[in-house]
C-alpha cells in the first residue's frame, strides 16, 4: 500500500514537472516574441531619428540659403 502511494506520488510529481517544463517553454517563447517586438520598435525609432536628422539638415540648408540670399541686400528704411 505504501509503495503504491509512493509510485502514484512519483508519477504525479513527474506529470507536474512535465507541465512545469511546458509552461516554461511557453514563457520562453513569449519572451522571444517580446524581444523581437522590442527589436522592431528600436529599429523603428532608429529610422525615425535618421529621418529627423535628414529633416534638420534640410532645414539648416534652407535657412543657410535664405540667409545667404538676403545677406547682401539689406534694405534699411529711414523714416526720418
Amino acid at each position: 500500500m505504501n509503495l503504491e502511494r509512493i509510485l502514484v506520488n512519483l508519477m504525479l510529481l513527474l506529470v507536474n514537472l512535465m507541465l512545469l517544463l511546458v509552461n516554461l517553454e511557453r514563457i520562453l517563447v513569449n519572451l522571444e516574441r517580446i524581444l523581437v517586438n522590442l527589436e522592431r520598435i528600436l529599429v523603428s525609432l532608429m529610422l525615425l531619428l535618421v529621418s529627423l536628422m535628414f529633416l534638420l539638415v534640410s532645414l539648416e540648408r534652407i535657412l543657410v540659403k535664405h540667409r545667404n540670399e538676403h545677406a547682401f541686400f539689406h534694405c534699411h528704411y529711414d523714416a526720418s
Side-chain angles (χ1 to χ4, degrees):
M1 189 82 156
N2 273 341
L3 184 59
E4 266 182 42
R5 283 186 182 177
I6 291 173
L7 288 176
V8 167
N9 283 332
L10 281 174
M11 286 178 27
L12 287 173
L13 178 64
L14 287 175
V15 168
N16 282 324
L17 285 173
M18 286 179 17
L19 290 173
L20 176 65
L21 287 175
V22 167
N23 285 327
L24 285 174
E25 181 190 15
R26 288 179 182 169
I27 288 171
L28 288 175
V29 167
N30 285 330
L31 284 174
E32 182 184 11
R33 289 179 183 161
I34 289 171
L35 287 175
V36 166
N37 286 331
L38 283 174
E39 182 185 14
R40 289 178 180 163
I41 289 170
L42 288 174
V43 167
S44 295
L45 285 173
M46 184 184 69
L47 291 173
L48 177 64
L49 286 174
V50 169
S51 296
L52 286 172
M53 182 186 69
F54 283 126
L55 175 64
L56 287 174
V57 168
S58 296
L59 285 173
E60 180 190 24
R61 286 181 181 171
I62 290 171
L63 288 173
V64 167
K65 181 180 176 188
H66 181 74
R67 184 190 68 204
N68 289 340
E69 286 175 353
H70 298 285
F72 301 107
F73 303 104
H74 292 292
C75 297
H76 296 287
Y77 179 72
D78 190 7
S80 53

